[in-house]
Amino acid sequence: MLSDVALLGAPTARTRAYLSALRDAGLCPAKVILSATPASPEPLEFVDLARSAGADVTTVVAADINEPAVVAAVRACGLPYVVFSGPPGAIVREPLFATGCKFIHAHPGRLPDFRGSTTIYYSLLAENAVEASALFLDPDIDAGPVLGRACFDPPEDRRLVDGGYDPEIRAKLLVSVLCDYKQRGHFESISQVGVG
């Protein structure tokens, strides 16, 4: 378990992949905050998954990841690092940054070359390759310091990209970055200005 790391997630395939991979690697976050919208499915499966790894779980119902209830839950967790696994299209904004936490994001593209959404498709089209980057989020989209990168073989069946492949490669990179953190006792990051 990582005693100073939390996970903020929505009930999605990515959060499921993260929790499963981190649990299996012995790197489960100490606290998990599950933020579900009023219309999203009940996050019981995710609560059970997080608790099976020993995490303390808080659930919040909010229409947006930056709502006061979510911000309050992140602030109350009191941990310096938060793995971000929000719903598709969600962007961490100032209310969450104001908590003082460092948000860790696994991005399905090579930074700084592929920023924004659907980057996995851009890299497949441009290079027939897939790379993922882990970074600390900052207010500029996908521009924070890079914590690690990894290359992956593209899926043979491109129809599987969104369903299982994208969450799987992000989870693999996240495990690698958090394993390095656990061994070193600190994160090593590099500015995207220096990444080539």
Side-chain angles (χ1 to χ4, degrees):
M1 179 172 287
L2 295 171
S3 62
D4 57 354
V5 176
L7 182 143
L8 170 59
T12 63
R14 182 170 17 133
T15 300
R16 183 183 304 110
Y18 283 7
L19 288 172
S20 296
L22 293 171
R23 178 198 60 198
D24 294 348
L27 297 168
C28 187
K31 297 188 179 190
V32 173
I33 301 161
L34 293 170
S35 176
T37 67
S40 65
E42 189 70 30
L44 292 178
E45 169 199 348
F46 299 90
V47 170
D48 291 343
L49 182 57
R51 286 187 177 147
S52 73
D56 179 36
V57 181
T58 299
T59 58
V60 179
V61 176
D64 181 88
I65 203 76
N66 296 284
E67 282 190 15
V70 178
V71 173
V74 169
R75 186 173 279 117
C77 88
L79 300 180
Y81 302 108
V82 178
V83 172
F84 180 68
S85 182
I91 296 172
V92 172
R93 301 218 184 268
E94 185 53 36
L96 281 171
F97 286 123
T99 65
C101 297
K102 287 190 164 271
F103 291 89
I104 300 165
H105 176 55
H107 171 78
R110 182 181 62 239
L111 292 173
D113 302 319
F114 296 100
R115 289 189 176 129
S117 65
T118 64
T119 52
I120 197 167
Y121 290 105
Y122 292 125
S123 62
L124 280 169
L125 290 170
E127 302 173 348
N128 195 35
V130 175
E131 194 166 333
S133 306
L135 69 152
F136 281 133
L137 292 176
D138 73 9
D140 294 325
I141 294 175
D142 297 332
V146 173
L147 300 168
R149 297 192 307 186
C151 296
F152 299 93
D153 292 329
E156 289 184 27
D157 184 348
R158 302 294 164 94
R159 293 173 297 179
L160 302 176
V161 168
D162 288 327
Y165 179 80
D166 176 279
E168 179 184 322
I169 66 168
R170 293 193 206 204
K172 285 180 180 178
L173 176 59
L174 186 61
V175 164
S176 174
V177 166
L178 291 176
C179 187
D180 286 347
Y181 168 67
K182 186 174 182 179
Q183 290 174 348
R184 290 186 181 118
H186 65 277
F187 285 103
E188 291 192 358
S189 63
I190 183 168
S191 166
Q192 289 193 39
V193 174
V195 175

